[in-house]
Amino acid sequence: MTTVNKDLQKERERCTFDPLELTHLLDGGVEKTAIRREREEFFLSDPQLQDTVPAEYKSHKEKYEDAIRKGCRVLEKVQELQEQGKADMDVFSQVLGGMLGSAILKDGNPLTLHYVMFIPALMGQGTVEQQGYWISKAWSCNIIGTYAQTELGHGTFIRGLETTATYDSSTQEFVLNSPTLTSYKWWPGGLGQTANYAVVVAQLYTQGQCKGIHPFIVQLRDEDTHEPLPGIKIGEIGTKLGMNATNNGFLGFDHVRIPREHMLMKNSQVLEDGTYIKAPSDKLTYGTMMFVRVVLIKDIARYLSKAVTIAIRYSAIRRQCQITSDKPEVQIIDYVTQQYKLFPQLATCFALSMSAEWIWDMYNNVTAELDQGELERLPELHALACCLKAVASSDAAGGIEVVRLSCGGHGYMSASNLPATYGLVTAACTYEGENTVLFLQTARYLVKAWRQAISGQDLPPTVKYLTQLSRGIKQRPWKNTLTCIIRAHQSVAAGKIRLATENMDRRIRSGLSQEESWNQTSIELVQAAESHCRLFIVERFITAVRNLTRISKQLHTVLTQLCELYAVYWVLQRVGDFIRFSCLNVEDVPVLQSHLEELLSQIRPNAVGIVDGFDIRDEVLGSALGAYDGNVYERLYAEAMKSPLNQESVNKSFQLYLKPFLKSNL
Amino acid sequence: MTTVNKDLQKERERCTFDPLELTHLLDGGVEKTAIRREREEFFLSDPQLQDTVPAEYKSHKEKYEDAIRKGCRVLEKVQELQEQGKADMDVFSQVLGGMLGSAILKDGNPLTLHYVMFIPALMGQGTVEQQGYWISKAWSCNIIGTYAQTELGHGTFIRGLETTATYDSSTQEFVLNSPTLTSYKWWPGGLGQTANYAVVVAQLYTQGQCKGIHPFIVQLRDEDTHEPLPGIKIGEIGTKLGMNATNNGFLGFDHVRIPREHMLMKNSQVLEDGTYIKAPSDKLTYGTMMFVRVVLIKDIARYLSKAVTIAIRYSAIRRQCQITSDKPEVQIIDYVTQQYKLFPQLATCFALSMSAEWIWDMYNNVTAELDQGELERLPELHALACCLKAVASSDAAGGIEVVRLSCGGHGYMSASNLPATYGLVTAACTYEGENTVLFLQTARYLVKAWRQAISGQDLPPTVKYLTQLSRGIKQRPWKNTLTCIIRAHQSVAAGKIRLATENMDRRIRSGLSQEESWNQTSIELVQAAESHCRLFIVERFITAVRNLTRISKQLHTVLTQLCELYAVYWVLQRVGDFIRFSCLNVEDVPVLQSHLEELLSQIRPNAVGIVDGFDIRDEVLGSALGAYDGNVYERLYAEAMKSPLNQESVNKSFQLYLKPFLKSNL
């Protein structure tokens, strides 16, 4: 397996730019590439973190047990890094949730929520004293926690949660209870058999009144025996499409008492006598939610890069059919239909990661402003994070399926690692805000912005285009330039926002309530939010590439081609919208189609070079189809040979069932 | 669990038609419903075919062993039916591949290919003598076979297969050999550990010449011990996205000798001295391939119905958020965005099943003609079967994901049965002809038809519209009627075929070869084939509903609404095409959008009734979310409790790994 596949080698030789330059650009500099690679080596070379039998062959229970073993080992190694002073905060998201984590545990890690939700909840919602006590226990891993909010019957609408925490001033305790089956906590990662503590969100009752939902620290299991404590009904929720090692759990309470001090009281408080003191502001809790979404967009872009790397390398190696009948079978990447499946997804990797970077910066600026009491840009950030998370997850999930299918039957195999990658990403369409719900949140902001634009008010940067377009600025004739394409995207977004707003207003005038009118118009509202987001992504991509001045001409050319492909692709995907709302005419469409086809052929010779530039290690790709050396068939065969069914020449089911059946028919 | 969920009960009470009438219509009559139900009861009530622990929790090996046990039991029951004279030919496809089969073995059956490919190959390609000997052995289950064609490196392009069968006239044997790793057979169901015989497709060499691919019967394993025979390298290919109990296998030959009589010689022959006698016609082998595709379209429609039933019932039960703030949480089916996800898929179930029925009839007519030597309609049937299989599989797979996501987090759980259903259907995008390859086959037919239309030749029924449109018939103004929508679909399909043909011809004129021009134009060619197929489906749906004269007015109204929804939905999905190629104007689009929204609200009260009309038994749905009684939460909880992890209060990984780790940090 040491020699590289010849076709792949040729692809690398014909590449017109240096993939390493792209790697450094994506990492943020030469040093950062070195640090990332060193960290990957540190974790991935550990023999204790490697599988002899792939997880797919094991039972659900064995998968869990393996995940705990490897999860603990990963954390031990993080502690080693900490002792060496080499651990930054990023290391947790990298090894628990990110690409590196998915290389170690393909199907999720039951310890992730301890760092991603439990500790942040303590930090965000605990008083200074509570933080001092609990965070030190959690941070040094004396306890393992999770975050229990969603219930069997309640997800999106958290005001509807049913779990109650009733204050008993006589004992100064809260009594946690699950009044119904639908009030059982359901979904938290690590809750099943792993965590011994949780932050539990419940309806607070004190002095006979419901004060809404609040967070409480609850011990779930004995620290020594791990047995569930009295009144705690706990277990895992069962297998899923993916992430089967995350140990998602359920949790019911039968009048479980916890001390008053276990309510997280940074914001609201319950005094000893039961007096309730309300939090000064609700907006502050937005922070964590947005943080998770912003990080998610980055991760999603990386998962897509992984899938695209696998499919492009495979398409350069796989030969199938002939284009010309007297020539040998061709690399499938030479089929234009294959390029049309692969390259727009390749461009999407860049489009999403550049948007992710921009909103990451915006998030940091806005939270810095927040700390100084400025809340002004919060709604804009929130509106953007919502639609970006939705578009990123749904485009990436769809894109992974497109490239998986482009690999034919072999893409259907677990050994391709495409099915598991899809399983991880499609989950992100639902968690951290269901996509349709998020689009409608963005739409709410856009409708408001549109009304402000009409009334001549100033608008924040990302919706400023509405100001001009609300004045009915005359459109220029279509030109096949990026500037024109940005303007056209603005016209489409503005046109769809205008139309949705008008249709809603018409319904209100006809006598429907505001809420019902909103619901009746919601198909168009979702589409308006998606168009706004697409504009944002296209504009960010174009601007970011234009601003890359310190890179080689060769790399700049490649990035410009990808950027144009993305922009043109989406005009053609939504060509009806562009004819309706922008200056694009029916006659311009064939020109765009030719331009798209031209871009595909320009990107073709560099496709392998570009994915090489992503610099994703074989262990992270985890794919027989995508490895750097391109020895696809040898790897597929080697993977098959790992199946436990292949360790014996005859399976016992022959003697037990098949032979008696066959013989009975003689 | 005996009471029905109240919301679901209300939905049933408000239904305006009788679901049972729909059931009878779909089954083809009252008697057929009774027979189907009886057959379902016969198989599904058998305790030996029921699981105590769901397969998802088991190891890959255990899943296989269970599948053999259940597979044999299913065939025993089929034999019982045969003895009672109650088994028709349909029973095999029903219990091995169809909906009923997927209720018994969710993740595939290793014995399916014995009936679906092995026996048909013997029938289609064996001489009368060969049939007499082999079919009786196969039919009575003394041997178990599979069909081995695809190789590790070769799928679509069967001329490129590498396995060789070299005739040795000195011993009157064929020597089967796998000269490379890429020549290993790869994928056949049941090949891994199950089958003891296979029909193997190999390149025939005789008298020093290659005569192309031919089928051979090869014994793989000893009939008594099941040990692989000498020279046979055999095993399974490993886990996949779905169908993990089908035991897909690989197979390599090291100079394996078989008697000359084991070549299936109905068509071509090799005489004792090695003389090769060529088959009179190649076209006859098309038959089986088309048969499988035509059956597949039916099955796909049913799988979509299953997913839609689950999602619609769940959406009527699940309550989340408020539309109006002082009212209780609403059924999510009342969100227009949810209706927009569900109802077009509901309409697609009917659209696909009506097209499937039509092409099934056409298939039977054409094969009857074939038997009389008439080959005329074969190309039309082939072109239609190709694009219909492609559109049906890709629409259904996409549709299942849309409705899965519409169920939020619970749709991600295995207990919803939506992930497994997706796994089965998305596989059909690749097997039996990869979809893009199939679209291009249809396109080849359409380009030819277009040229014939221009030159004034008569065209077969399904492409006759090209005749009128090639003459540039003037379009009428848009009317929002089904007749106008059919015409518009015709204009779009014709316009896209014309454009693709012109672009290809332009490339040829500019000096590109015919083949390269085809490749360069292939994006548009695929889109043209898809538009042609969409027209066919829309037209079939509309015509079929119009022709339903013997049904109640109430049911007819419902079916008309679904039919209109499908037609309007696809105009809006491809609105750019309709503006470009049909008489639809930009100003007509809002009218269509309103019409779509109106149809959603008309279908809303009958949605549950319609899926009740599909009459899919709970065991076939296999879903905690979709059961008839609607006790979603009780069933989800009951399913979770089946997890082996939930059978003990503390998992051993606590003592082994987690506790030592936590304690080491104290």
Side-chain angles (χ1 to χ4, degrees), chain A residues 24 43 84 155 167 172 275 282 327 330 455 509:
Chain A
H24 294 150
F43 283 95
Q84 296 166 23
Y167 186 63
Q172 299 197 12
T275 306
D282 282 348
K327 300 259 175 72
V330 299
S455 69
R509 281 197 306 277

Side-chain angles (χ1 to χ4, degrees), chain A residues 210-272:
Chain A
C210 178
K211 298 294 182 182
I213 55 168
H214 290 77
F216 302 84
I217 301 179
V218 185
Q219 183 174 356
L220 306 174
R221 290 174 178 270
D222 183 273
E223 287 189 28
D224 214 52
T225 65
H226 213 54
E227 291 290 342
L229 296 188
I232 302 270
K233 206 161 184 183
I234 198 165
E236 70 131 4
I237 62 170
T239 59
K240 294 147 289 167
L241 191 156
M243 309 220 286
N244 278 303
T246 48
N247 197 224
N248 300 83
F250 67 81
L251 170 62
F253 298 104
D254 181 9
H255 299 90
V256 171
R257 289 182 166 263
I258 57 170
R260 185 184 68 92
E261 296 76 24
H262 280 207
M263 172 174 163
L264 289 170
M265 298 210 206
K266 181 178 174 184
N267 301 310
S268 304
Q269 295 168 48
V270 171
L271 304 184
E272 291 186 4

Side-chain angles (χ1 to χ4, degrees), chain A residues 192-425:
Chain A
Q193 277 72 25
T194 313
N196 50 14
Y197 281 81
V199 170
V200 173
V201 180
Q203 298 285 358
L204 166 63
Y205 283 83
T206 183
Q207 298 177 335
Q209 283 187 313
C210 178
K211 298 294 182 182
I213 55 168
H214 290 77
F216 302 84
I217 301 179
V218 185
Q219 183 174 356
L220 306 174
R221 290 174 178 270
D222 183 273
E223 287 189 28
D224 214 52
T225 65
H226 213 54
E227 291 290 342
L229 296 188
I232 302 270
K233 206 161 184 183
I234 198 165
E236 70 131 4
I237 62 170
T239 59
K240 294 147 289 167
L241 191 156
M243 309 220 286
N244 278 303
T246 48
N247 197 224
N248 300 83
F250 67 81
L251 170 62
F253 298 104
D254 181 9
H255 299 90
V256 171
R257 289 182 166 263
I258 57 170
R260 185 184 68 92
E261 296 76 24
H262 280 207
M263 172 174 163
L264 289 170
M265 298 210 206
K266 181 178 174 184
N267 301 310
S268 304
Q269 295 168 48
V270 171
L271 304 184
E272 291 186 4
D273 66 351
T275 306
Y276 178 74
I277 300 175
K278 200 175 180 301
S281 162
D282 282 348
K283 290 218 170 169
L284 296 168
T285 51
Y286 266 125
T288 335
M289 217 163 64
M290 272 190 300
F291 172 77
V292 178
R293 282 180 199 151
V294 166
V295 169
L296 202 52
I297 299 164
K298 273 194 190 183
D299 277 347
I300 287 168
R302 292 200 190 107
Y303 282 118
L304 182 60
S305 310
K306 185 164 151 174
V308 167
T309 301
I310 295 166
I312 284 184
R313 286 190 182 149
Y314 177 69
S315 298
I317 294 154
R318 179 74 170 180
R319 287 177 173 271
Q320 200 76 183
C321 297
Q322 301 154 312
I323 291 177
T324 310
S325 57
D326 55 350
K327 300 259 175 72
E329 291 191 68
V330 299
Q331 295 166 280
I332 58 174
I333 199 172
D334 282 325
Y335 291 103
V336 174
T337 47
Q338 186 76 354
Q339 295 168 9
Y340 185 60
K341 290 173 193 173
L342 298 173
F343 300 166
Q345 304 310 326
L346 178 62
T348 302
C349 299
F350 289 89
L352 294 182
S353 79
M354 284 172 182
S355 290
E357 225 166 277
W358 194 90
I359 199 171
W360 176 247
D361 291 343
M362 184 185 182
Y363 171 80
N364 285 312
N365 293 337
V366 172
T367 43
E369 287 168 20
L370 263 186
D371 290 343
Q372 298 171 6
E374 288 174 41
L375 302 172
E376 206 189 329
R377 292 195 74 191
L378 205 57
E380 186 192 10
L381 173 63
H382 178 248
L384 207 54
C386 284
C387 65
L388 258 183
K389 181 271 189 186
V391 166
S393 57
S394 101
D395 282 7
I400 291 168
E401 281 303 83
V402 168
V403 305
R404 177 181 69 73
L405 287 164
S406 84
C407 297
H410 295 339
Y412 192 74
M413 300 196 60
S414 308
S416 74
N417 205 14
L418 294 169
T421 307
Y422 178 68
L424 290 177
V425 173

Side-chain angles (χ1 to χ4, degrees), chain A residues 56-57 59-61 64-65 69 75 79 140-142 144 152-153 155-157 181-182 186-187 193-194 221 224-227 233 235-243 318 320-323 329 334-337 341 401 404 408-410 412-414 422-423 426-427 430 434 436 507 515-516 519 522-524 575-576 580 589 593 597 633-634 637 640 643 645-646 648-654 657-659 661-663 665-666, chain B residues 56-57 59-61 64-65 69 75 79 140-142 144 152-153 155-157 181-182 186-187 193-194 221 224-227 233 235-243 318 320-323 329 334-337 340-341 401 404 408-410 412-414 422-423 426-427 430 434 436 507 515-516 519 522-524 575-576 580 589 593 597 633 637 640 643 645-646 648-654 657-659 661-663 665-666:
Chain A
E56 302 88 273
Y57 295 108
S59 73
H60 183 61
K61 201 168 163 183
Y64 171 69
E65 288 154 4
R69 180 180 55 75
L75 293 180
Q79 289 172 345
S140 59
C141 288
N142 304 145
I144 286 290
L152 184 50
T156 300
F157 188 64
L181 178 59
T182 48
W186 196 268
W187 277 114
Q193 277 72 25
T194 313
R221 290 174 178 270
D224 214 52
T225 65
H226 213 54
E227 291 290 342
K233 206 161 184 183
E236 70 131 4
I237 62 170
T239 59
K240 294 147 289 167
L241 191 156
M243 309 220 286
R318 179 74 170 180
Q320 200 76 183
C321 297
Q322 301 154 312
I323 291 177
E329 291 191 68
D334 282 325
Y335 291 103
V336 174
T337 47
K341 290 173 193 173
E401 281 303 83
R404 177 181 69 73
H410 295 339
Y412 192 74
M413 300 196 60
S414 308
Y422 178 68
T426 188
T430 305
E434 192 277 330
T436 303
R507 287 182 166 113
E515 293 94 340
E516 192 47 48
N519 183 30
S522 54
I523 297 172
E524 289 182 310
V575 71
R580 288 175 74 194
V589 180
Q593 178 68 26
E597 290 165 359
Y633 300 114
E634 293 80 358
Y637 188 74
S643 167
L645 278 170
N646 290 337
E648 49 193 16
S649 57
V650 178
N651 178 269
K652 68 176 181 194
S653 64
F654 176 72
Y657 315 116
L658 196 55
K659 189 173 176 183
F661 173 67
L662 298 182
K663 295 297 173 196
N665 300 315
L666 276 176
Chain B
E56 303 88 274
Y57 295 107
S59 73
H60 184 61
K61 201 169 164 184
Y64 170 68
E65 289 154 3
R69 180 179 54 75
L75 293 180
Q79 290 172 345
S140 59
C141 288
N142 305 145
I144 286 290
L152 184 51
T156 299
F157 188 64
L181 178 59
T182 47
W186 198 268
W187 276 114
Q193 277 72 26
T194 313
R221 291 173 178 271
D224 213 52
T225 65
H226 213 53
E227 290 292 340
K233 206 161 185 181
E236 71 130 5
I237 62 171
T239 58
K240 292 148 291 167
L241 191 156
M243 310 220 284
R318 179 75 169 180
Q320 201 76 182
C321 295
Q322 300 153 314
I323 292 177
E329 291 191 67
D334 282 325
Y335 290 104
V336 175
T337 47
Y340 185 61
K341 291 174 193 171
E401 280 303 85
R404 178 182 67 75
H410 295 340
Y412 193 74
M413 299 197 61
S414 307
Y422 178 68
T426 188
T430 304
E434 192 277 329
T436 303
R507 289 184 165 110
E515 293 94 339
E516 192 47 50
N519 183 30
S522 55
I523 297 171
E524 290 182 308
V575 71
R580 288 174 74 196
V589 181
Q593 178 68 26
E597 290 164 359
Y633 300 114
Y637 188 74
S643 168
L645 278 170
N646 291 336
E648 50 193 15
S649 58
V650 177
N651 178 268
K652 69 177 181 193
S653 64
F654 176 72
Y657 314 115
L658 195 57
K659 188 174 176 181
F661 173 67
L662 298 181
K663 295 296 173 194
N665 300 315
L666 276 176

Side-chain angles (χ1 to χ4, degrees), chain A residues 613-637:
Chain A
F614 290 149
D615 194 36
I616 307 176
R617 268 175 77 117
D618 282 353
E619 295 91 335
V620 177
L621 290 174
S623 171
L625 306 187
Y628 187 82
D629 66 15
N631 291 315
V632 167
Y633 300 114
E634 293 80 358
R635 284 175 187 273
L636 275 172
Y637 188 74

